[in-house]
Structures are given as structure tokens and as C-alpha cells.
Amino acid sequence: MRTAFAVASIQLAALAWTLAILVDTSPLETAPALLVGLGLLAMSTVAMVGMIAVGGRWAHRLGLIAIASMVALAIIRPIDLFWGVAVGLTALSSMALLSPVVTRSIRRLPSASGPPPRAITPPLILLATPAVLGFLGNAAAPWALLVVGIAAPNVAWLYSRVLPGGLLAIRMIWPALAIALAPWMGWWAGTASVVMAAAVAVLSWHKSVKASYHPPREVGTAYPIPPELTPKEVLDAAEIDDRGRRK
């Protein structure tokens, strides 16, 4: 329970920064500010759920990336009441994520039954994409920035929920979209868009990603067991004697 309360602080900090952005977007333009808020909410929500539900190392690291984004926003945004509240919650969430209450609940090693790191990394990059483009996209065409930035977490959702088209979207559709619209985003945001698109495409084409998305299915084979070798409790449950005859 203490872990859940500690981890939930990152969600409160993200909500506070989103509200602060809505009140005053400066020095960011409107579209970049909206993407930063979307990125903070997406990263903090997934990180919170991942740490509480499975104690994932990837979730803890995503939470730290979200806090780093909040710190960057605190540096560039004008100081006012909303800034002060958001900074206080950011400090609280950073102490919570680094406290023993949370770190003890995080796995030391990857889960043996969970997906491999290559299958987890592409959607994490997509979740961070809105914030990255928002911070770098003041010189970008708003429509191009919003199309690529908003599409990224939606593609991550399709992929993570194993919905039809999710694998195609993360392998081809979103990377192609991010590269095609990069010229309208300015130098910094466009370069970031191309780099993230290339990273997502390269990682998502690894065979382990397809295996995680469509696990291989094997047809089982049944072998008859002689009655004399069958455990007695199994025979009793099936109402069969040790000679294979119905009782």
C-alpha cells in the first residue's frame, strides 16, 4: 500500500505540470505545450501502473524519465503559483521513486515469463515521443508536430494491447509517418523525429518482437498411459480401476 501511494505521486506531479502548461504555455507554443503535457501524462500513467502491477524495471526507468522531463519544464517555464506547486510535487515524486519503499518492490532481474527488452523498448520510445517533440518543436509546423506526436502513444497502445494492425503500425506506419513529416518540423524536432522513427523501426523488426506479439503455437500430442502406471487419485477421479475398467 505504501508503494502504491509513493508511486502515485508521479501522476500527481504530471497532472500539476499539465495544468500549469494549460494556464501558461510560455515559452512553448500551443502545440508543443500540448504535446509536453500529453507526454508527461502518458509516461507517468504507464510508469505508475507498471511499478504497482509488476514491479518492472522498465516502469521505474520510465518514471525517472518523466521526472527528468518535469525538471526540464521547470527550468524553462516562468515561475508562478502553478510552477511552485508542480515543482513541489516533482520533488516529492522524485524522492518517492528513489526511496527504499519503491526500489525494494522493483525487480532486480527481468521477468522470466515477461516479454524481452527489445519488445518493451519500442512502445516506451513512443510514449516519450510527444514530450521530446514538444520540447524541441517551437519552430515546427503545428499540424506536423501534432500528427506525429499524438499518433505515437496511440500506436504504442495498439501494440501493447496486441490489437489488429498494432505490429504493422509500430514497424512501418508510424516510422514512415515520422520520417515523412520531419521536414516540416524544423531542424531539432525533425532530427529527433527521424532518430526515434529509426530506433522504433529497427527494434520492432527483431524476431523477439514478433514472437512476443504472436507467440508460436505448438500442437500438443496425447500419449496413452497404462492404467497400472496412472496415479491412484487420477483413476479414482475418473472412476476407473487399475485395469482400465469403469468401476
Side-chain angles (χ1 to χ4, degrees):
M1 185 63 69
R2 289 189 302 168
T3 301
F5 281 119
V7 171
S9 63
I10 190 174
Q11 186 70 37
L12 294 176
L15 289 171
W17 278 116
T18 302
L19 179 60
I21 291 173
L22 293 177
V23 172
D24 184 1
T25 64
S26 59
L28 300 174
E29 301 292 338
T30 302
L34 290 175
L35 287 182
V36 170
L38 173 63
L40 291 179
L41 290 175
M43 288 189 291
S44 62
T45 301
V46 173
M48 179 181 68
V49 173
M51 284 185 282
I52 293 175
V54 298
R57 296 187 303 166
W58 59 267
H60 189 248
R61 292 168 182 172
L62 183 63
L64 294 176
I65 292 173
I67 290 177
S69 301
M70 297 176 196
V71 172
L73 190 56
I75 294 173
I76 66 174
R77 190 188 178 281
I79 298 176
D80 57 13
L81 176 61
F82 294 96
W83 181 93
V85 172
V87 166
L89 289 173
T90 301
L92 178 64
S93 63
S94 62
M95 289 187 293
L97 259 64
L98 296 175
S99 69
V101 173
V102 173
T103 55
R104 280 198 300 263
S105 67
I106 302 301
R107 292 179 180 272
R108 294 290 182 267
L109 297 173
S111 173
S113 60
R118 280 183 179 269
I120 297 175
T121 305
L124 297 184
I125 295 175
L126 291 172
L127 289 175
T129 295
V132 173
L133 295 182
F135 280 119
L136 301 177
N138 256 9
W143 64 270
L145 203 66
L146 290 173
V147 167
V148 176
I150 293 176
N154 283 283
V155 169
W157 180 77
L158 287 174
Y159 170 80
S160 62
R161 301 301 298 173
V162 198
L163 295 175
L167 188 60
L168 178 64
I170 203 171
R171 279 182 165 181
M172 298 182 64
I173 297 177
W174 186 83
L177 182 68
I179 293 173
L181 297 184
W184 284 273
M185 296 186 193
W187 171 252
W188 292 108
T191 301
S193 182
V194 171
V195 170
M196 289 186 292
V200 169
V202 170
L203 290 171
S204 61
W205 275 100
H206 192 266
K207 60 183 180 181
S208 63
V209 174
K210 184 177 181 180
S212 299
Y213 199 80
H214 297 296
R217 298 178 181 178
E218 297 182 0
V219 178
T221 303
Y223 296 96
I225 300 176
E228 58 270 18
L229 298 180
T230 305
K232 187 176 184 304
E233 59 271 16
V234 175
L235 294 175
D236 292 340
E239 297 182 352
I240 297 174
D241 61 18
D242 56 2
R243 295 184 180 182
R245 295 177 299 185
R246 182 72 60 179
K247 292 181 180 180

